[in-house]
Amino acid sequence: MLSGVHILSRARNRSVWATTPQLSRRALSFISVAVGLAAWELIGRFLVANSLFLATPLQAVEALGNMWIGGELQRHIWSSTQEFVIGFLIGSASGIAIGLAIATSRNAAAIFNPWVAGLYSTPIVALAPLMILWFGIGIWSKVAVVISVVVFPVMVNTESGIRATSPHLIEVARSLCATRWQIFAKVSIPSAMPYILAGLRLGIGRGLIGVVIGEFFGARAGVGYLIVQSAEAFNMPAMFAGVIIFAAAGIGLTAAFQALEHWLLRWR
Amino acid sequence: MEMRSNHAKLQVHSLTKHFGDLGVLVDVNLSVENGYFVSVLGPSGCGKTTFLRIVGGLESVDAGEIVIDGHPISGPGRDRSFVFQMDSLLPWRTVWENTVLGLEISGTVSDDKDRAMALLKLVGLSGFERYYPKQLSGGMRQRVNLARALAVNPEVLLMDEPFSALDAQTREVMQTELLRIWENGRKTALFVTHQIDEAVYLSDSVVIFARRPGRVQEIVRIDLPRPRPLSIKRTPHFIEYVDHIWKLIEKDVTAPSNVCG
Ligand SMILES: Nc1ncnc2c1ncn2[C@@H]1O[C@H](COP(=O)(O)OP(=O)(O)O)[C@@H](O)[C@H]1O
Ligand SMILES: [Mg+2]
């Protein structure tokens, strides 16, 4: 006391909300979704009440069940899955490869940069009809659309990631006698990893859109095809069922990828 | 300063370096004998980092030569390793992975694994092998940097103000730790600092750099017994060295030709 300083007793008033903010926020999100779905169901039943314009969530789920039992849904999902997976793998692998090339070789940069500049901000899905013309209405035209929309974000992010490598860390490796290749493999690539993963995450979203748009322009199967077909037949429950599948795929893939990202970047 | 001594581990001959019009180092000559701990002391901006980077082979020279064990250097080499001033751990590598980085680069991790483990123990980080840099304090990170530099078993250890980012207490702890680790093998060490007491405490000799342009002003031999406890800093002998060096530096700092501008 004489020293002018003394220890205060610990504060006691911690609120319940402050101790579990994540839990309560999660509850808020849940309530928000539940209220939204309930409102949609009620509006569809009592306000719009015309199944030519709007299906309710329950009707959509019922349509899902029926199509699953009929075996038709699996065929659509399988088709779209193939298109997405093949397109995403090829698109992201080439995106990473071209991005690395541009970042490390001036010649590669000179070759690719004009195309990147021209095409990066162009809505490439506009080329979907052309792809159908070139590759037919089987899965390969859709694979081509997915590749073309995935490749750019992955490529651009890879390049910026490599360029953002700390010169100091490169020098650290150089002081330990690393070769150019070792610097690239042990410093530049791991340091670019957060960027590359962010590019891939963008690619997932774009790739899904690519599948839908590609199938809109011509297909024999696929969830996007199911959506157009149902819309043309005014079969709203089936159409919304298709939308739900894409929404679920988007949410599921993004969440899974975020978990992977979180694990790979656990050092951050 | 014995030139071209027979047991010279490191020799610096007529080193000159400019950045554009700025003369950073002019005619620096130095010879360091095997197993000595030598500090380079000078105010900031006098070219200490540039000097050390040149010795490390990370920077080119305009004129002059660096000779290690009789061989002129032409770039970074396995005979030297660096402890940097800035945060230098690869953040995505664990303590262990950072420690063996140099061994990985030379392809000798499996041969030198035991030694690297012993080194981690020596720097006091046993049990932290799987930690990431973000989980470590500043002092612990510099311990890892030291372990990484020693793991490649260099002939000469180069350190550029490795403790300057640490708080005063951690800094003193790290100084004693560095001496303890250094006693274990006594590698030739070149240590850059702008703190007089740090230079005196650690070194066998203190090389005082004058600035604009950087050059060797004076070399002060520190005849204090080793091992040196921290309490040596309060002995009259130690304080005399610090005072002596202060006066040498004061002359340089207050001389009109050296005023900034
Ligand atoms: N890469 C560089 N390009 C131009 N000037 C530099 C460069 N590195 C250092 N300098 C200049 O050289 C001088 C000495 O710098 P440095 O060696 O870092 O000094 P110290 O480490 O003693 O503080 C400073 O004036 C600094 O601005
Ligand atoms: Mg410096």
Side-chain angles (χ1 to χ4, degrees):
Chain A
M1 286 288 268
L2 281 175
S3 61
V5 181
H6 55 123
I7 298 168
L8 286 175
S9 59
R10 290 237 183 97
R12 272 154 293 151
N13 53 337
R14 282 200 232 123
S15 84
V16 181
W17 285 82
T19 55
T20 58
Q22 271 166 345
L23 207 71
S24 53
R25 294 228 179 83
R26 201 164 277 188
L28 266 182
S29 304
F30 184 80
I31 293 168
S32 160
V33 172
V35 168
L37 286 176
W40 177 7
E41 184 74 34
L42 293 175
I43 290 170
R45 259 181 215 212
F46 304 111
L47 274 174
V48 182
N50 180 344
S51 62
L52 290 185
F53 294 111
L54 186 66
T56 74
L58 288 178
Q59 288 167 335
V61 169
E62 193 188 344
L64 268 182
N66 289 336
M67 285 189 286
W68 181 269
I69 292 162
E72 179 191 354
L73 193 59
Q74 290 88 320
R75 188 171 63 93
H76 292 308
I77 292 178
W78 174 233
S79 221
S80 295
T81 304
Q82 281 178 299
E83 292 158 4
F84 177 80
V85 170
I86 299 172
F88 182 80
L89 289 180
I90 298 176
S92 49
S94 20
I96 291 173
I98 300 170
L100 294 179
I102 294 179
T104 49
S105 144
R106 289 195 193 164
N107 288 338
I111 292 168
F112 288 108
N113 274 341
W115 295 94
V116 180
L119 292 175
Y120 183 53
S121 46
T122 311
I124 303 199
V125 281
L127 295 178
L130 189 66
M131 300 294 179
I132 309 286
L133 215 60
W134 285 353
F135 300 107
I137 58 170
I139 66 164
W140 295 105
S141 51
K142 267 67 75 183
V143 168
V145 175
V146 174
I147 293 174
S148 66
V149 293
V150 168
V151 75
F152 283 97
V154 175
M155 176 177 74
V156 169
N157 271 37
T158 303
E159 188 206 350
S160 348
I162 296 288
R163 287 201 194 284
T165 308
S166 147
H168 179 61
L169 293 185
I170 291 178
E171 178 152 272
V172 168
R174 209 155 68 81
S175 81
L176 291 166
C177 300
T179 59
R180 262 180 59 118
W181 165 248
Q182 285 175 322
I183 291 174
F184 191 63
K186 293 184 192 298
V187 183
S188 303
I189 296 217
S191 138
M193 214 49 175
Y195 291 76
I196 297 176
L197 292 172
L200 293 174
R201 185 154 32 80
L202 278 176
I204 289 177
R206 304 253 180 119
L208 283 176
I209 295 174
V211 169
V212 184
I213 307 260
E215 289 177 357
F216 278 7
F217 283 106
R220 276 188 234 104
V223 180
Y225 171 77
L226 167 71
I227 292 175
V228 245
Q229 287 294 301
S230 314
E232 280 169 9
F234 296 101
N235 183 355
M236 288 302 120
M239 198 209 88
F240 277 103
V243 174
I244 287 175
I245 290 173
F246 271 120
I251 294 167
L253 285 173
T254 308
F257 193 81
Q258 265 167 350
L260 177 71
E261 229 177 325
H262 195 78
W263 181 76
L264 285 173
L265 303 180
R266 61 193 177 282
W267 50 270
R268 287 216 290 193
Chain B
M1 170 174 50
E2 311 99 304
M3 292 287 301
R4 296 191 182 275
S5 145
N6 283 333
H7 344 280
K9 176 60 76 174
L10 163 71
Q11 291 176 308
V12 179
H13 297 300
S14 329
L15 182 69
T16 295
K17 174 73 183 175
H18 292 259
F19 283 120
D21 293 337
L22 178 72
V24 181
L25 299 168
V26 172
D27 197 29
V28 175
N29 291 283
L30 202 63
S31 174
V32 178
E33 285 175 49
N34 191 19
Y36 276 70
F37 197 117
V38 173
S39 284
V40 173
L41 177 71
S44 74
C46 74
K48 305 183 297 295
T49 294
T50 307
F51 174 69
L52 207 67
R53 283 168 49 82
I54 289 172
V55 176
L58 296 170
E59 190 83 69
S60 65
V61 298
D62 296 339
E65 198 177 43
I66 308 288
V67 178
I68 305 231
D69 283 331
H71 304 290
I73 67 153
S74 59
R78 301 202 198 291
D79 49 1
R80 286 149 288 151
S81 64
F82 225 110
V83 180
F84 293 90
Q85 181 174 12
M86 285 167 63
D87 209 353
S88 303
L89 297 178
L90 305 185
W92 52 86
R93 284 182 168 240
T94 60
V95 166
W96 173 254
E97 291 165 342
N98 267 292
T99 304
V100 297
L101 178 64
L103 303 176
E104 236 180 81
I105 285 168
S106 59
T108 57
V109 182
S110 44
D111 298 344
D112 293 334
K113 196 169 176 182
D114 292 343
R115 212 163 44 80
M117 262 159 33
L119 263 173
L120 266 187
K121 184 153 185 254
L122 182 65
V123 301
L125 284 178
S126 291
F128 289 94
E129 288 84 354
R130 299 167 68 120
Y131 281 55
Y132 285 99
K134 70 159 183 196
Q135 297 169 291
L136 306 179
S137 68
M140 289 163 94
R141 284 184 212 175
Q142 281 309 47
R143 287 170 196 259
V144 183
N145 277 317
L146 197 56
R148 177 173 71 191
L150 289 170
V152 298
N153 203 12
E155 295 295 324
V156 181
L157 183 61
L158 306 171
M159 292 168 277
D160 186 8
E161 308 206 34
F163 307 143
S164 62
L166 305 178
D167 61 83
Q169 284 169 31
T170 312
R171 186 180 183 122
E172 296 225 306
V173 171
M174 287 304 293
Q175 289 166 0
T176 59
E177 284 289 279
L178 175 59
L179 279 194
R180 179 181 64 78
I181 292 158
W182 177 76
E183 296 282 356
N184 205 292
R186 292 216 177 192
K187 283 197 185 302
T188 310
L190 208 51
F191 186 98
V192 159
T193 180
H194 65 264
Q195 288 215 335
I196 299 172
D197 83 306
E198 184 169 76
V200 173
Y201 176 67
L202 296 173
S203 316
D204 298 309
S205 291
V206 176
V207 178
I208 299 170
F209 260 42
R211 59 175 170 176
R212 284 171 207 272
R215 68 216 118 92
V216 177
Q217 181 186 339
E218 192 129 2
I219 296 180
V220 179
R221 209 186 150 80
I222 309 293
D223 271 317
L224 293 171
R226 290 189 190 272
R228 298 174 183 170
L230 201 54
S231 57
I232 208 170
K233 289 189 177 183
R234 291 190 295 271
T235 62
H237 210 157
F238 185 94
I239 295 167
E240 265 170 44
Y241 277 122
V242 173
D243 277 349
H244 175 62
I245 293 174
W246 235 125
K247 290 199 180 95
L248 291 171
I249 289 177
E250 209 175 14
K251 254 193 291 179
D252 175 47
V253 172
T254 53
S257 64
N258 290 311
V259 167
C260 295

